Amino acid sequence: KYVIGSHEGGLVTDMPSHDNLFLYYGDLSDFSSISRIITTIRPDEVYNLAAMSDVRVSFDIPEYTGDVSGLGALRVIEAVRQAGVPAKIYQASTSELYGKVLEVPQTETTPFNPRSPYAIAKQYAYWMSKSYRDGYGMFITNGILFNHESPRRGPNFVTRKITRGAAAIALGGDRKIYLGNLDAKRDWGYAPEYVEAMWRMLQLEKPDDYVLATGETHTIREFLEEAFRHIGKRWEDHVEIKQELFRPSEVDILMGDASKAKRDLGWEPQTTFKDLVKLLLDADIELAKQNGSGQS
Ligand code: GDD
């Protein structure tokens, strides 16, 4: 709901202010708010990271997802075009576009085969970005990011759900973690490194599309094993499978090839899978301690 701009005097008054950071209230489903912000700020760079981004929830609210994650991107692009601002735009595309994958590993040329309302909305945004780039000569780059995690990840996503639960268990909490499909494979990287690459994409002379990924893939079960190894417990004693947490259709395997990003952006992921699990777990253990043992 908030848009961050570098123009003095944001439209939000009840948020803490920062020297070089101003918040404006906006909503991707409301073109006039986006347009007003773009016209007021006249930004050099726009990063559209907003979406209804929970893949499973998108099956429950497909229309809303299409509005915000699909049409919302178009609203941002149109607002920039209509304002005549020469802003560079970053569109958060996603590895979910590959869906039931047609190739392993996935690259910028792998055909899309989306399997969820979320991925289909994002495909609309991807093609709109390309269409405005080609048709109007706008600088719009699609970052096709594979899963990128950090301690800021929402607890409804599987990595945080596991590390939060494991942290509470490590501190003595008697707690179950309810999960769905443990066989899906994901290419998990560390979010701050991916954000650096987003910025690098907009520093290039020309817009393009870039995959960001580690090139490694692991099952949810492997993530569980690694997290519980750290706390010296057996995950089998703490995890219960719930049928309702499975998705109507699943993306079975994601594994990206970021060679193009390496070539053009000089970007390579630094954090390994094991380091990532440890980093997320340590952060949740710290948080659980602050909130009182086992209460994270
Ligand atoms: N969320 C969740 N909760 N996922 C579970 C659970 C559970 O209880 N149990 C198993 N999973 C499996 C899902 O079925 C999926 O295969 C995998 O864990 C990862 O799920 P999420 O962490 O929800 O992420 P995602 O891969 O669906 O999507 C994320 O990454 C995309 C980039 O590839 C989101 O951030 C998307 O917005 C993003 O585009």
Side-chain angles (χ1 to χ4, degrees), residues 1-5 11-15 22-28 34 37 47 50:
K1 297 285 184 204
Y2 296 110
V3 176
I4 300 171
L11 305 176
V12 175
T13 51
D14 59 345
M15 297 291 283
F22 302 94
L23 291 172
Y24 295 76
Y25 200 86
D27 193 311
L28 278 191
I34 303 300
I37 292 165
Y47 296 83

Side-chain angles (χ1 to χ4, degrees), residues 52-56 93-96 118 122 145-149 153 156-159 161 178-182 184-186 188 220 245-247 250-251 254:
M52 200 311 285
S53 67
D54 187 315
V55 177
R56 205 207 55 75
S93 285
T94 162
S95 51
E96 279 292 304
Y118 166 76
K122 281 285 189 178
L145 272 55
F146 284 62
N147 297 49
H148 41 291
E149 314 295 316
R153 184 59 129 160
N156 47 322
F157 295 92
V158 79
T159 52
K161 196 169 172 182
Y178 298 102
L179 294 173
N181 179 15
L182 302 187
K185 292 180 152 183
R186 287 293 181 275
W188 281 295
I220 316 301
L245 293 170
F246 282 69
R247 297 166 183 189
E250 176 67 282
V251 171
L254 291 176

